[in-house]
Amino acid sequence: MHDANHGSYSSSEPLNELLGLSLNALGGNSFIWKFKHNIIHHTYPNVDGMDDDIAKSPFIRMCSTQPWMPAHRIQHIYTPLLYAISSMIWVLFQDFEKYFRHKVHQTTMVEMKLKDHFIFWTSKLLYIFFYIALPVFLIGWTNWIIFFLSLHIGLGLTLAVVFQLAHVVEETTFEFAPTDETTRIENEWAIHQVKTTSNFSPNSRIISWLVGGLNYQIEHHLFPRVSHVHYPALSKIVKEKCEAFGLPYNCIPSFRKAVISHFRLIRLLGQKPAQVIPQHV
């Protein structure tokens, strides 16, 4: 799904489009995801005010420019619970919210064609039929809710943790883009991508296979239309170039250490800052 929606699974665009719809089979929507991920996230990673992936406030404070609330003191405790229900909220609420608002966070989406509207509603109705109506009919409400929640707890935790390990860790940087002026990023595009992303578990073939190469996040952000199978080879070149130009090459050696780094940062951001940042307008 990820490679296909980036156009990097195959040289055939129709095949990429077809396989990208595997996201719809899981309850999401490839059109909205491509705008949210390919355009917004890949252009403005870790930019508060633009990147929807870190726009979890007021529930989770993911960077220092976001407003602080007293509940954030224990966000490192309740964040896993929110991650566990994140895919269910995505599928049953957030896609519809983006669809009707025509926006991803602060950014207006490109106009959907008739085909895109048809795919959105057809796939959502099929999801309701195959994931809710048919199981309830076959095994009853009680068994359905147990398996449905189990499915989304596993899916939500997996998706949230893997994506957060690539950006919301102690090693990466964040920026803030005010909405009342022209959005400008301090560094040029490639430097910004390198500073705001982090690799993890680069030597684990098992992790690389399970996460589809997303543990090579730096290479993915620099070359999003290149298949993830080439990232290990590319990483050697990218690391050398970062060293040559004095840029950080963020790489956490293991999955465990990356998880620790993420939650250590979440805990740090939950502490009351010296000066409380007002709510963004």
Side-chain angles (χ1 to χ4, degrees):
M1 180 282 291
H2 185 262
D3 274 13
N5 277 323
H6 270 293
S8 63
Y9 181 86
S10 169
S11 58
S12 169
E13 195 57 35
L15 181 58
N16 284 326
E17 288 289 333
L18 177 63
L19 294 179
L21 292 175
S22 58
L23 175 60
N24 294 56
L26 294 173
N29 180 264
S30 61
F31 180 93
I32 294 175
W33 189 89
K34 282 191 281 189
F35 186 82
K36 163 186 161 66
H37 184 79
N38 296 3
I39 297 177
I40 304 301
H41 171 69
H42 271 264
T43 306
Y44 304 104
N46 281 16
V47 177
D48 183 25
M50 296 295 295
D51 187 1
D52 188 60
D53 284 6
I54 61 169
K56 311 303 179 187
S57 182
F59 304 104
I60 308 174
R61 186 171 184 252
M62 287 192 164
C63 62
S64 61
T65 55
Q66 292 176 345
W68 179 86
M69 298 178 64
H72 291 151
R73 289 193 179 98
I74 58 169
Q75 68 174 9
H76 60 288
I77 297 174
Y78 66 72
T79 289
L81 300 177
L82 296 182
Y83 287 169
I85 61 173
S86 60
S87 63
M88 187 162 51
I89 294 173
W90 170 9
V91 168
L92 298 177
F93 172 73
Q94 289 178 328
D95 272 351
F96 291 99
E97 185 260 351
K98 291 176 174 63
Y99 179 87
F100 287 111
R101 286 182 63 240
H102 308 291
K103 282 187 175 184
V104 173
H105 193 33
Q106 309 278 7
T107 307
T108 302
M109 286 199 304
V110 295
E111 187 175 349
M112 297 177 76
K113 299 177 182 178
L114 181 62
K115 178 192 72 172
D116 301 316
H117 289 288
F118 176 79
I119 291 174
F120 178 90
W121 287 108
T122 300
S123 60
K124 288 295 184 183
L125 289 173
L126 287 173
Y127 179 85
I128 292 171
F129 175 76
F130 283 110
Y131 286 80
I132 301 176
L134 185 60
V136 168
F137 175 76
L138 293 174
I139 63 175
W141 282 99
T142 303
N143 288 329
W144 166 76
I145 195 68
I146 292 172
F147 284 103
F148 188 75
L149 290 177
S150 298
L151 160 70
H152 276 292
I153 288 171
L155 180 60
L157 280 172
T158 302
L159 286 173
V161 170
V162 168
F163 277 99
Q164 299 301 359
L165 297 189
H167 295 284
V168 188
V169 288
E170 297 166 301
E171 289 75 7
T172 56
T173 61
F174 296 81
E175 291 197 28
F176 172 61
T179 56
D180 58 348
E181 58 185 69
T182 302
T183 302
R184 296 179 63 87
I185 296 176
E186 183 67 24
N187 295 306
E188 64 178 82
W189 179 83
I191 294 176
H192 179 79
Q193 302 299 321
V194 169
K195 287 187 173 183
T196 56
T197 60
S198 177
N199 293 355
F200 60 91
S201 305
N203 299 319
S204 172
R205 292 186 178 183
I206 295 176
I207 293 293
S208 295
W209 185 82
L210 286 172
V211 304
L214 291 178
N215 53 328
Y216 287 94
Q217 191 71 195
I218 296 174
E219 288 68 34
H220 172 58
H221 267 257
L222 292 175
F223 309 101
R225 291 184 65 86
V226 172
S227 173
H228 75 271
V229 300
H230 301 297
Y231 291 164
L234 279 172
S235 67
K236 297 178 177 62
I237 302 172
V238 173
K239 185 177 181 180
E240 290 176 359
K241 291 299 180 181
C242 285
E243 292 174 352
F245 286 93
L247 294 173
Y249 184 79
N250 303 317
C251 186
I252 304 173
S254 72
F255 183 83
R256 182 182 65 85
K257 290 183 178 180
V259 171
I260 292 173
S261 179
H262 170 64
F263 282 101
R264 200 156 46 199
L265 177 62
I266 291 296
R267 184 173 184 176
L268 177 65
L269 290 168
Q271 298 176 8
K272 185 177 181 180
Q275 181 179 358
V276 178
I277 299 171
Q279 183 73 39
H280 301 327
V281 177

